[in-house]
Amino acid sequence: MEFRDLKCQYLHHKAQIDAAIMAVLERGDFIGGAPVASLEQKLADYVGVNYCVSCANGTDALQLALMAWGTGPGDAVFVPDFTFFSTAEAVALCGATPVFVDVDAKTFNMDVESLEHAVNTVIRKGRLKLKAIIGVDLFGLPADYGRIRRIAEKHQMKLLEDAAQGFGGRIREKRAGSFGDIATTSFFPAKPLGCYGDGGALFTDDAAVRDLLVSLKVHGKGTDKYDNVRIGMNSRLDTVQAAVLLEKMRLFEQFELEAVNRVAGWYESALRGRIDIPVISKEYYSSWAQYTILLENGAMRDNVQKALEKQGIPTMIYYKKPLHKQRAFVDEEKDCSCPITEELCNRVLSLPIHPYLKQEEVEGIAEKLLRCI
Ligand SMILES: *Cc1c(COP(=O)(O)O)cnc(C)c1O
């Protein structure tokens, strides 16, 4: 068994995916080919925003968004302490300061009271300018954007949605990728919508922001890439990846998103009441980038992981370390207090999940898990 079986998906749809890749090879339009624009249109329509701008990966997408807002030294950008490194790395790459915010013990997403507290602390110290909040749709579940947006507006900050794991999730009928002033996603192979290498995209309703992002991702181009009006990056999505994504997007919409929710439902039926499982509040829908349970404590978690591994069940720990404890952020760490994140880092364990997992397999994993505890 694999933690996230990407080969299984490929084998199910080999003919269409091979044909899409071959068509690019035959045309030779490796950069900026027709599939790139088609994909951007398709994704913008799906997410429900005016514009999608593709780029090289989800980390560049975050950096491009922050660059578009002129984020730089002296700016405070609020990020959850419990997320993948990129979310805060992009802030530091712009020269700004990531301010770590604790998360909610149930949803694992940015905790709104901790956010308010962190904002007030920055105001009181008066050293940094309030710039932006990055909400993360962790493990596929959108953050509480209703309340986060109110805080952003109150303090005139930008809201960036990091939907690298969230693509396909929603709150009521509003889809992930539409909650931020800009939203970003990643097509890293193991994300809910993944390609066969690196890829990423940004979403926005604002035409001026869209134009700026298009310039920034191609060397700060003006009328063309040999007319350079600002410092940018080289961050494009390859045509081959766009072609793969167009095929995979069709599968994602047709059945994969529902299938992965069915898998989560099987876990829930088998584990509810026996162990701490993810809770999806009413009106929220997850794309299940991960299925993450909580064990009683660190020792128990590590034992369970080892025992499952012996029985051929791969699991992962997302994430082992709060961001504020990463060595790269020693300078930022000083007065950060994120007790929930610290506890989660000790207790979380992510189980295998993907749309092609069968009911028997899920029940087998659940049974072995329950026997371990
Ligand atoms: C994967 C991920 C990213 C970065 O995406 P890449 O395409 O790997 O650069 C950013 N934020 C979060 C929350 C992620 O999970």
Side-chain angles (χ1 to χ4, degrees):
M1 172 171 297
E2 291 187 47
F3 183 69
R4 188 172 181 96
D5 193 339
L6 298 168
K7 268 176 293 185
C8 180
Q9 181 198 43
Y10 173 62
L11 293 174
H12 268 83
H13 311 288
K14 186 173 182 322
Q16 301 102 292
I17 293 173
D18 287 356
I21 294 173
M22 285 311 295
V24 179
L25 302 189
E26 277 158 20
R27 283 195 312 271
D29 54 353
F30 302 113
I31 298 288
V36 178
S38 310
L39 178 72
E40 289 177 337
Q41 188 59 55
K42 172 107 202 95
L43 295 179
D45 291 346
Y46 178 81
V47 162
V49 297
N50 292 341
Y51 308 104
C52 168
V53 178
S54 60
C55 67
N57 58 69
T59 309
D60 280 6
L62 289 164
Q63 194 184 344
L64 285 162
L66 292 167
M67 284 168 83
W69 292 332
T71 311
D75 287 336
V77 179
F78 298 87
V79 299
D81 196 31
F82 191 57
T83 173
F84 182 58
F85 187 64
S86 282
T87 313
E89 181 181 34
V91 176
L93 276 167
C94 292
T97 302
V99 179
F100 300 106
V101 176
D102 210 356
V103 297
D104 180 86
K106 286 270 178 297
T107 64
F108 306 159
N109 279 329
M110 186 179 262
D111 178 71
V112 179
E113 265 94 66
S114 304
L115 173 62
E116 281 188 299
H117 183 262
V119 170
N120 290 331
T121 305
V122 169
I123 294 173
R124 198 177 55 223
K125 287 190 181 163
R127 280 192 297 108
L128 299 170
K129 192 170 145 279
L130 303 180
K131 182 70 184 186
I133 302 169
I134 309 184
V136 176
D137 303 337
L138 202 74
F139 303 153
L141 183 69
D144 186 355
Y145 289 108
R147 292 169 72 208
I148 293 174
R149 170 153 310 272
R150 277 200 289 281
I151 296 175
E153 281 171 1
K154 181 171 161 199
H155 299 283
Q156 287 159 21
M157 282 189 277
K158 297 287 188 192
L159 174 57
L160 175 52
E161 176 189 2
D162 179 352
Q165 302 180 13
F167 191 84
R170 51 177 204 256
I171 306 177
R172 291 184 285 278
E173 292 312 306
K174 196 167 161 55
R175 289 209 166 111
S178 70
F179 294 108
D181 298 306
I182 302 178
T184 61
T185 197
S186 162
F187 305 123
F188 180 83
K191 308 279 174 169
L193 178 66
C195 61
Y196 290 158
D198 279 309
L202 301 106
F203 300 94
T204 184
D205 278 327
D206 186 326
V209 167
R210 184 252 176 205
D211 292 346
L212 193 48
L213 291 170
V214 168
S215 166
L216 285 168
K217 74 171 211 177
V218 185
H219 309 289
K221 71 172 179 172
T223 48
D224 63 53
K225 83 172 188 182
Y226 303 104
D227 171 37
N228 310 98
V229 299
R230 56 178 65 83
I231 299 300
M233 294 167 71
N234 173 24
S235 186
R236 292 171 299 224
L237 181 73
D238 298 345
T239 310
V240 167
Q241 301 303 344
V244 168
L245 283 164
L246 277 169
E247 286 308 312
K248 295 234 260 174
M249 185 57 199
R250 213 163 33 75
L251 309 172
F252 187 83
E253 273 188 284
Q254 277 174 2
F255 68 91
E256 285 186 353
L257 182 58
E258 276 171 46
V260 80
N261 271 276
R262 226 166 11 248
V263 172
W266 295 330
Y267 271 127
E268 183 174 343
S269 313
L271 298 174
R272 189 178 30 214
R274 319 277 300 273
I275 201 163
D276 254 327
I277 58 169
V279 244
I280 309 299
S281 323
K282 221 175 79 204
E283 304 192 315
Y284 280 72
Y285 189 76
S286 177
S287 57
W288 297 105
Q290 303 297 341
Y291 193 88
T292 303
I293 59 166
L294 290 177
L295 283 308
E296 255 162 61
N297 55 51
M300 178 96 143
R301 190 266 312 273
D302 294 347
N303 286 337
V304 167
Q305 182 172 42
K306 274 191 214 107
L308 286 174
E309 192 181 351
K310 267 199 206 117
Q311 300 175 75
I313 311 293
T315 58
M316 300 289 281
I317 299 173
Y318 296 124
Y319 294 94
K320 264 192 185 135
K321 226 189 229 190
L323 284 189
H324 80 271
K325 292 223 162 138
Q326 292 287 0
R327 206 167 99 199
F329 292 127
V330 277
D331 296 336
E332 266 78 35
E333 178 195 344
K334 286 166 203 109
D335 32 44
C336 170
S337 161
C338 298
I340 304 291
T341 298
E342 292 192 22
E343 185 187 331
L344 292 177
C345 288
N346 285 324
R347 295 179 55 201
V348 286
L349 187 69
S350 299
L351 305 178
I353 191 162
H354 58 80
Y356 298 86
L357 214 50
K358 297 194 184 70
Q359 188 164 7
E360 313 86 82
E361 293 176 302
V362 172
E363 285 166 1
I365 296 167
E367 194 189 304
K368 290 189 175 99
L369 173 66
L370 291 174
R371 243 188 285 126
C372 294
I373 55 171

